[in-house]
Amino acid sequence: MRLVRLERCSSGIKLGKSIYSENGKILLTKGTELTDSFINRLKNLNINTVYIEDTASEGIDIIESIPVELLNEATNVITDGLNTIADINITKPTVKGMMETEKTVRNFQRIFKDILTILTENPTVLNLLATTKIHESHVYTHSLNVTIYSCQLAIKNGLQTKEIEEIGLGALLHDLGKIFVKPEVLNKPGRLTKEEFEQMKSHSQLGFDILRKVHEVPFVVAHCALQHHERLDGAGYPRGLKGNEIHPYAKILSVADVFDAVTSHRVYRPAMLPHQGMELLYSGSGTQFDTDQLKLFKNCIAIYPQGLTVKLNDGRTGIVTKYNFHSVGRPEIRIIRDEEDQEVAPYEIDLSSSGNLTLEIVEADALL
């Protein structure tokens, strides 16, 4: 099984996994042969990647970090919850409004506990990068991804369950303030003006101001929203905190937040390749990001997970067959197409071996 761009698919290709809608309903079941009609329908739903089964990927197993059903449910909880909080006047709260807010927070806590149970019971590296993207709004999907990354990183830190749950709730709510940023600023394809950038930066303070008034939310969770853009050298915002002035939860959250942001497609820029995202984080090691957290994070996620279809700088196309922890950006790959994009009898290469160090991944289907 492997993950490929939908545009690479043609009539007759067999689905390797079922495809679900945003509300969790099955659109197409595993084993369905794609038709032109099905492919067009998926494109109209903004589904750009799918799992397929073919002879080239025979024997490659995809390890799901989080079941897709839970991902869909979590996305819906985040979407409904953030919108509910946004619709409530926190500055002049009504009894009904506060009850709705408390109910929303309990839903967040419930869904996070489900995610935590999965990650605790299945201690494998995360492969969120190789997943079929369904939801259109990056605020909601980003909040979910950051939550999962942060949870895994908190587990790696050996934190207690109560602390992990606080970080999880903080991650789910860390971008709450973006709901109050004008959509034309949030989704602007070009460079932001100084005034627009200030409005964008205000989301940290806005989120904090709301969350600190919600009795169901621990104060430290509100600080996750406030501090996730602070940096060790004081170059972050909104308060320019330095070093130990930044809460340990925010140090975890900032790593997860930046990695997911730069490896996800946005209207204003393409996604970075995963190893480039990791290199960006490491370029700020000790100055922007906590070095210990970066080391733990590198072992939390599969940068190029099994089943991901990739293209090399020499033009060859292959499928990732094995993740190399000793060299995270250089996995083992099964080559399936040559430099001229012609099918070949599949064969394996290891990008981490001394003879292949000039090769590098330049495209990954799940990110395009």
Side-chain angles (χ1 to χ4, degrees), residues 132-147:
T132 300
K133 308 295 193 302
I134 299 174
H135 205 284
E136 292 184 45
S137 173
H138 70 79
V139 172
Y140 307 125
T141 53
H142 174 67
S143 295
L144 175 57
N145 289 346
V146 171
T147 298

Side-chain angles (χ1 to χ4, degrees), residues 45-84:
L45 291 171
N46 292 310
I47 295 175
N48 301 314
T49 56
V50 293
Y51 287 103
I52 66 168
E53 289 183 347
D54 58 8
T55 55
S57 60
E58 188 174 348
I60 298 176
D61 295 323
I62 306 295
I63 301 173
E64 279 190 339
S65 301
I66 308 289
V68 67
E69 297 88 349
L70 180 54
L71 288 175
N72 288 338
E73 182 185 1
T75 301
N76 289 330
V77 167
I78 292 170
T79 303
D80 294 341
L82 293 183
N83 288 335
T84 295

